[in-house]
């Protein structure tokens, strides 16, 4: 996003803040005038970018990286990942899931589910027990510390989601979310049919 456009109604404080940020200042007759920033020219042609930015898979992966960077920036005080937050959220809404059901809820394979559960158990955020109905499976539940963690992070989690799509207009955000859901739903239905 570029610098915000300031109207004549801006406060003196805003104008002072703008002049402090602006490297282009010149003194004239005892006052400081702010020179308008020089417009940027077009970005140089980048053939690799031209190719890669036509690939939805690349853009989706890149957007995921950006979303995770925003999440980690806002939640850096806690040593937690978006995937772990997803699992804690699922367990807070549906306690005592077995790992197979938990993986299904989050669209994770069995190995990844087991690894994430183990990390959460090691942090004291999840507790597991042997399933009395099937001794080969384990049931998971979020602990009080896990609940406190996700409750304490709700504002940061919500803000990270807002920041990810903030460059879009409100109308485009709604369209973007609808199309994302439509794509995921269509592919999940195709997976079930095959």
């Amino acid at each position: 996003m570029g610098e915000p456009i300031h109207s004549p109604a801006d406060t003196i404080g805003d104008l002072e803040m703008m002049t402090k940020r602006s490297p282009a200042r010149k003194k004239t007759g005892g006052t400081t005038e702010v020179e308008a920033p020089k417009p940027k020219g077009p970005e140089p042609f980048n053939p690799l970018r031209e190719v890669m930015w036509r690939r939805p898979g690349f853009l989706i992966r890149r957007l995921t990286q950006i979303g995770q960077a925003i999440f980690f920036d806002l939640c850096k005080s806690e040593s937690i990942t978006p995937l772990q937050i997803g699992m804690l959220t699922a367990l807070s809404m549906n306690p005592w899931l077995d790992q197979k059901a938990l993986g299904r809820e989050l669209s994770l394979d069995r190995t990844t589910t087991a690894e994430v559960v183990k990390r959460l158990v090691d942090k004291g955020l999840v507790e597991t027990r042997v399933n009395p109905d099937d001794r080969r499976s384990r049931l998971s539940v979020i602990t009080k510390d896990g609940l406190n963690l996700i409750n304490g992070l709700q504002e940061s989690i919500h803000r990270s989601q807002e920041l990810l799509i903030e460059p879009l207009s409100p109308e485009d955000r709604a369209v973007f979310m609808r199309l994302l859901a439509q794509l995921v739903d269509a592919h999940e239905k195709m997976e079930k049919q095959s």
Side-chain angles (χ1 to χ4, degrees):
M1 290 188 298
E3 287 292 311
I5 297 172
H6 290 267
S7 70
D10 285 333
T11 64
I12 300 292
D14 289 339
L15 189 55
E16 287 173 359
M17 194 168 73
M18 262 179 46
T19 59
K20 287 178 185 171
R21 284 194 311 235
S22 174
R25 288 182 291 171
K26 68 177 184 179
K27 272 218 176 233
T28 57
T31 62
T32 302
E33 290 181 14
V34 179
E35 290 181 21
K38 294 182 181 171
K40 289 182 181 179
E43 288 190 26
F45 177 72
N46 181 335
L48 180 59
R49 182 178 171 119
E50 291 294 317
V51 170
M52 296 303 288
W53 282 52
R54 290 186 185 139
R55 296 179 179 172
F58 170 79
L59 292 174
I60 291 166
R61 182 184 63 79
R62 184 67 189 106
L63 192 59
T64 298
Q65 290 174 323
I66 292 166
Q68 288 179 341
I70 293 169
F71 173 89
F72 288 125
D73 187 52
L74 291 175
C75 302
K76 62 185 157 210
S77 62
E78 304 299 332
S79 178
I80 194 111
T81 67
L83 185 53
Q84 291 170 349
I85 287 291
M87 193 166 284
L88 290 174
T89 302
L91 288 172
S92 72
M93 299 174 83
N94 198 353
W96 296 115
L97 285 176
D98 66 31
Q99 289 188 6
K100 189 175 181 180
L102 188 53
R104 195 171 42 248
E105 288 291 325
L106 298 171
S107 300
L108 299 173
D109 61 78
R110 193 166 55 182
T111 303
T112 303
T113 303
E115 288 174 7
V116 176
V117 168
K118 182 186 180 323
R119 287 190 183 119
L120 292 172
V121 168
D122 291 346
K123 291 178 180 186
L125 304 174
V126 166
E127 181 183 308
T128 60
R129 294 184 186 156
V130 173
N131 185 346
D133 298 329
D134 180 358
R135 309 265 323 146
R136 294 169 298 169
S137 77
R138 300 186 71 74
L139 302 174
S140 300
V141 68
I142 190 170
T143 64
K144 186 176 179 181
D145 286 345
L147 280 172
N148 290 338
L149 177 75
I150 61 168
N151 286 335
L153 286 176
Q154 281 307 303
E155 190 175 318
S156 295
I157 293 166
H158 181 72
R159 183 69 183 133
S160 72
Q161 300 300 300
E162 285 180 336
L163 286 172
L164 182 60
I165 59 173
E166 188 175 74
L168 300 176
S169 69
E171 298 79 21
D172 285 346
R173 290 175 202 169
V175 170
F176 178 72
M177 292 302 295
R178 183 178 52 78
L179 290 175
L180 273 179
Q182 184 179 330
L183 269 174
V184 171
D185 185 55
H187 284 285
E188 284 184 348
K189 285 176 180 169
M190 284 190 282
E191 283 177 12
K192 286 177 185 171
Q193 290 172 358
S194 58

